[in-house]
Amino acid sequence: MMDQNSNTILNMLSDVKESMAALNEKLERVEKRLDQLGKVDSIEHRVTSNQIDITDIKDALERMEELQVARVERIATEILEASAKQNEAGVASVQKRLDTHLLKIGRVEEDILILQGDK
């Protein structure tokens, strides 16, 4: 059960890593395009002729980053909550088993004392 959950967590982390890599590639392409814009003599003319507002590009990049961060935080929270639930269930199970064994040990000690008293 723990291995399956660990695999699930690893798969989720792998998906997050792949998403972040894809976002990084997109950001690099946007940076390259912005660098090309910087090489143009008149950036204003280029922006006006293409009807592109640099502020819109910046806002779009910030929104993309915010969404990615929110997604990573949500996934991390889900992973932590799932792990906590699994750990709690495992600890409860171990505690029940220990209690059972302690009761058995107590009964055996009691039987030993009774047998010693009979001698």
Side-chain angles (χ1 to χ4, degrees):
M1 181 171 180
M2 191 67 158
D3 290 330
Q4 181 184 11
N5 293 325
S6 295
N7 288 337
T8 303
I9 290 170
L10 289 174
N11 288 338
M12 292 174 97
L13 289 174
S14 177
D15 292 344
V16 169
K17 182 180 176 184
E18 290 173 9
S19 297
M20 291 181 78
L23 177 64
N24 191 31
E25 289 176 11
K26 289 178 183 178
L27 288 173
E28 287 177 4
R29 285 190 294 234
V30 169
E31 287 177 353
K32 285 180 184 177
R33 291 182 77 187
L34 288 174
D35 287 342
Q36 291 172 352
L37 286 175
K39 295 176 185 175
V40 176
D41 290 338
S42 172
I43 294 176
E44 285 183 27
H45 173 71
R46 177 77 180 230
V47 170
T48 304
S49 65
N50 289 325
Q51 297 178 346
I52 296 173
D53 184 5
I54 293 178
T55 306
D56 290 341
I57 293 172
K58 180 183 173 190
D59 291 342
L61 288 173
E62 287 174 352
R63 281 193 306 272
M64 287 172 58
E65 183 179 358
E66 289 171 2
L67 289 173
Q68 193 66 24
V69 167
R71 182 173 181 229
V72 169
E73 286 176 350
R74 186 185 59 172
I75 289 173
T77 302
E78 289 174 2
I79 290 170
L80 290 174
E81 288 173 356
S83 295
K85 287 179 184 176
Q86 290 171 354
N87 289 340
E88 288 174 9
V91 168
S93 174
V94 168
Q95 287 175 339
K96 285 180 185 177
R97 292 178 64 194
L98 286 173
D99 288 343
T100 302
H101 288 294
L102 286 172
L103 286 172
K104 287 179 183 178
I105 290 170
R107 287 185 193 131
V108 169
E109 286 177 344
E110 202 174 296
D111 289 345
I112 290 172
L113 290 173
I114 291 172
L115 287 174
Q116 285 177 347
D118 288 345
K119 286 185 180 183

